[in-house]
Amino acid sequence: VASVGGAAAAMLYWVVLALSAILVALFLYSRYVSEKPKIYVKVGTSWAETLRKIPALSETYTPTWWCVPGWAQTIVREVFRGLPRLDWERELMRFADGGQSALDWLHPKDEQLNEDQTTPIVVFLPGITGSTHTAAYLLAAAVEVHQKGWRVVVANGRGADGVELLTPRLYNAGTPETTDDLAEILKMITTRYPDAKKFACGYSLGGMILWNYLARCATREEARLNSALVVSSPWHSMSTTESLEQPFNCFVFNKSVLQSCLRLVKPLKSVFEHKLDWDHLMASETMRHFDARFIAPLAGHDSAESYYEATSLSPKVSRIPVPTLSVNAADDAFSPTHSIPFHDVCRSANVAVCLTAHGGHTAFMQGAHPNDPGFIEKLIVQYGEVVF
């Protein structure tokens, strides 16, 4: 009995020692891979000088010690991050074609700031199936912005967040119909708050919508924004599709995003079944299938590839009329770095790219807990302090 007890104690000792060694190794590894973000911007421009004033862009980004890889950060944030409850005020935005979408406002608690028509406004655009009440990454940022006393508004897409779809049109990555909606929203906000400075922040697909909208605007005045921030948005849709079809990414991400998209459109069968082959759509196995069978034809494209080319960001760098920062992580499967047009960015007076070594897709974890604010939340506040 004594020998058995001694063996068990020895085994426990070695297990504890091994676990401790693993934890120490993970901690040291997170410090080893910590780097300052790489900033790509045209030297000598006023935009380059403005970005120098943002501390987060020159400080070392240290990812969460137990969750360094991008794929892991993306999953952990998505699965374990909480959804803070905020005092949103919903407004239904009616469009010229009879459609509608939800605008959710978060006004300053301070009565004086709330009544002040010059209080800065941050306009958020959620990702592919995200919305005001489901996008944890957006809610985390809204909490930080709200604490600054700024006004927040979330521009949800048509059919998102429980709003009835009145026309046979959803949203996409930025065809003219989708950017027309954003144009109407920003026109309304500017009419209501003409003296307030505004910047828009789009995540993933929301960033693509924002970018494509800006590329349509000839001037900053037409854009009705002082600045823009694009987070984890794919630069070239075909490159993203090919990345997500790699075996690991397909298993971890592609199938999950596809199921979210199918859940979004399933209740809309009566609206769309006469426009396409519904059973073929429901049999989709990848996002490329979904885009080819649903998004592309509804957007007037004869193939997913045509739709991808039309909505990609990379060919439009020279057309962005307002100071814009794109934030990407080198380990983001949704935005492979080879698709980022660094050369074009460094020739633009208005576009800059912040590239972190880690951070995954919209995750950018830093604290030990999945709910802790990360690099992006800190950056958004500092960004607003500079552009406002």
Side-chain angles (χ1 to χ4, degrees), residues 163-341:
V163 174
E164 181 184 1
L165 192 68
L166 300 180
T167 57
R169 262 183 57 193
L170 281 177
Y171 55 93
N172 56 45
T175 59
E177 294 80 9
T178 296
T179 57
D180 281 346
D181 286 355
L182 181 56
E184 288 193 51
I185 289 169
L186 291 175
K187 181 179 179 180
M188 182 276 289
I189 294 173
T190 301
T191 300
R192 187 176 298 175
Y193 299 103
D195 299 321
K197 291 185 176 181
K198 310 165 190 69
F199 87 78
C201 176
Y203 291 85
S204 194
L205 187 90
M208 297 181 73
I209 295 171
L210 175 59
W211 187 281
N212 280 295
Y213 161 76
L214 292 173
R216 290 181 48 199
C217 299
T219 64
R220 187 179 305 188
E221 290 71 27
E222 183 182 351
R224 298 186 173 89
L225 289 170
N226 296 89
S227 187
L229 185 61
V230 174
V231 180
S232 295
S233 291
W235 279 85
H236 195 277
S237 302
M238 193 68 237
S239 296
T240 295
T241 298
E242 292 171 349
S243 172
L244 293 180
E245 288 175 350
Q246 297 298 311
F248 179 79
N249 292 337
C250 188
F251 175 75
V252 175
F253 298 122
N254 201 319
K255 302 292 186 182
S256 175
V257 176
L258 171 65
Q259 291 306 313
S260 295
C261 289
L262 291 176
R263 283 194 297 270
L264 177 68
V265 303
K266 275 181 180 178
L268 306 174
K269 179 179 180 180
S270 61
V271 178
F272 293 110
E273 62 179 341
H274 66 286
K275 290 179 171 290
L276 44 84
D277 186 334
W278 189 262
D279 292 336
H280 194 45
L281 169 64
M282 290 297 112
S284 297
E285 296 181 352
T286 66
M287 278 305 300
R288 192 198 295 247
H289 291 163
F290 180 83
D291 289 335
R293 299 168 189 179
F294 186 76
I295 299 295
L298 290 178
H301 290 272
D302 57 7
S303 67
E305 290 73 21
S306 171
Y307 162 71
Y308 291 158
E309 194 60 36
T311 56
S312 288
L313 313 190
S314 53
K316 307 182 181 95
V317 172
S318 64
R319 292 158 53 184
I320 303 302
V322 304
T324 300
L325 176 64
S326 174
V327 184
N328 297 93
D331 60 1
D332 181 3
F334 292 79
S335 186
T337 55
H338 67 79
S339 67
I340 303 177

Side-chain angles (χ1 to χ4, degrees), residues 6-231:
M11 180 175 292
L12 179 61
Y13 169 80
W14 286 110
V15 167
V16 171
L17 186 63
L19 288 175
S20 300
I22 291 172
L23 294 177
V24 170
L26 286 172
F27 178 81
L28 293 176
Y29 177 70
S30 71
R31 267 53 187 170
Y32 174 75
V33 299
S34 298
E35 296 181 16
K36 292 182 179 180
K38 296 178 180 178
I39 309 301
Y40 298 85
V41 64
K42 184 176 182 179
V43 177
T45 60
S46 60
W47 188 222
E49 293 306 310
T50 298
L51 294 176
R52 288 179 181 274
K53 301 174 184 177
I54 301 177
L57 298 182
S58 60
E59 296 171 351
T60 298
Y61 166 52
T62 302
T64 296
W65 65 270
W66 56 268
C67 193
V68 173
W71 63 267
Q73 287 200 36
T74 304
I75 293 172
V76 167
R77 282 289 211 198
E78 179 67 22
V79 175
F80 297 108
R81 200 174 204 178
L83 300 173
R85 296 175 64 88
L86 299 170
D87 295 326
W88 298 103
E89 293 182 12
R90 171 150 293 185
E91 175 179 5
L92 291 180
M93 177 72 191
R94 289 299 184 100
F95 299 110
D97 69 344
Q100 66 178 3
S101 71
L103 296 184
D104 290 317
W105 293 89
L106 187 61
H107 297 287
K109 289 184 178 180
D110 184 282
E111 186 174 345
Q112 184 175 354
L113 288 174
N114 188 24
E115 294 179 355
D116 187 349
Q117 295 293 299
T118 66
T119 295
I121 301 173
V122 181
V123 183
F124 284 110
L125 287 79
I128 187 166
T129 58
S131 66
T132 304
H133 297 92
T134 64
Y137 51 83
L138 187 154
L139 288 168
V143 168
E144 302 297 320
V145 171
H146 187 48
Q147 289 177 353
K148 289 293 296 183
W150 301 334
R151 206 179 308 275
V152 177
V153 59
V154 180
N156 293 286
R158 297 190 186 207
D161 216 35
V163 174
E164 181 184 1
L165 192 68
L166 300 180
T167 57
R169 262 183 57 193
L170 281 177
Y171 55 93
N172 56 45
T175 59
E177 294 80 9
T178 296
T179 57
D180 281 346
D181 286 355
L182 181 56
E184 288 193 51
I185 289 169
L186 291 175
K187 181 179 179 180
M188 182 276 289
I189 294 173
T190 301
T191 300
R192 187 176 298 175
Y193 299 103
D195 299 321
K197 291 185 176 181
K198 310 165 190 69
F199 87 78
C201 176
Y203 291 85
S204 194
L205 187 90
M208 297 181 73
I209 295 171
L210 175 59
W211 187 281
N212 280 295
Y213 161 76
L214 292 173
R216 290 181 48 199
C217 299
T219 64
R220 187 179 305 188
E221 290 71 27
E222 183 182 351
R224 298 186 173 89
L225 289 170
N226 296 89
S227 187
L229 185 61
V230 174
V231 180

